[in-house]
Amino acid sequence: MLVNKKDINFKEELSASKLYKTSVNNVRKYCTPLSIKDFQEKKYRASRYLKKGTVICTKDIYEDKNNKVLFNFGAIQIEKPGKIIFENDEYIKIKRSDGKVEKIYKDGRIE
């Protein structure tokens, strides 16, 4: 079973270096433990705060998806976290991870 070496904050990225393998006598019945192989293949983030020494279960983590938008304004490139909602010739609307909608004009203005 995998256990974390230190406290892991909410939405913090998990990696194999932050975990270690150990044997545990009992685990909650609704906990499905993960292996180190899972963390080497995909990127995961914590879905809640995890104290040091907690067994890592599938419900405690979620797969980290690449939700970044790259804006290319000629010589300047801006990368923002979020996903595109709407795009036309004048502007692009993106939804940020905190739920707010941001409108970015193609000439670089932000509203």
Side-chain angles (χ1 to χ4, degrees):
M1 309 236 184
L2 288 178
V3 178
N4 52 333
K5 292 179 184 176
K6 63 176 190 164
D7 293 342
I8 297 174
N9 294 322
F10 176 62
K11 291 190 177 181
E12 184 178 338
E13 186 174 337
L14 291 167
S15 63
S17 64
K18 295 180 183 177
L19 307 171
Y20 67 94
K21 193 172 186 170
T22 187
S23 62
V24 178
N25 294 336
N26 57 356
V27 181
R28 298 177 300 237
K29 67 179 182 180
Y30 51 85
C31 177
T32 309
L34 295 162
S35 66
I36 288 191
K37 185 179 177 184
D38 296 328
F39 288 95
Q40 292 171 344
E41 294 174 355
K42 298 178 184 175
K43 291 185 179 182
Y44 291 101
R45 291 198 176 267
S47 61
R48 65 181 186 92
Y49 176 78
L50 300 169
K51 289 196 299 187
K52 179 181 177 181
T54 305
V55 176
I56 305 297
C57 302
T58 54
K59 68 175 188 64
D60 297 331
I61 61 171
Y62 63 93
E63 190 174 343
D64 188 19
K65 297 177 184 169
N66 187 9
N67 289 333
K68 295 189 181 189
V69 181
L70 181 68
F71 300 101
N72 191 355
F73 300 115
I76 300 173
Q77 289 186 348
I78 300 172
E79 186 174 333
K80 291 205 163 230
K83 88 178 177 186
I84 295 176
I85 297 174
F86 178 76
E87 181 177 1
N88 65 13
D89 294 338
E90 294 180 36
Y91 61 87
I92 299 171
K93 279 189 178 180
I94 63 168
K95 186 172 186 177
R96 298 190 322 205
S97 59
D98 61 357
K100 293 184 180 180
V101 176
E102 192 171 358
K103 190 178 194 181
I104 301 174
Y105 287 91
K106 300 257 176 145
D107 62 358
R109 293 180 290 150
I110 297 176
E111 186 177 293

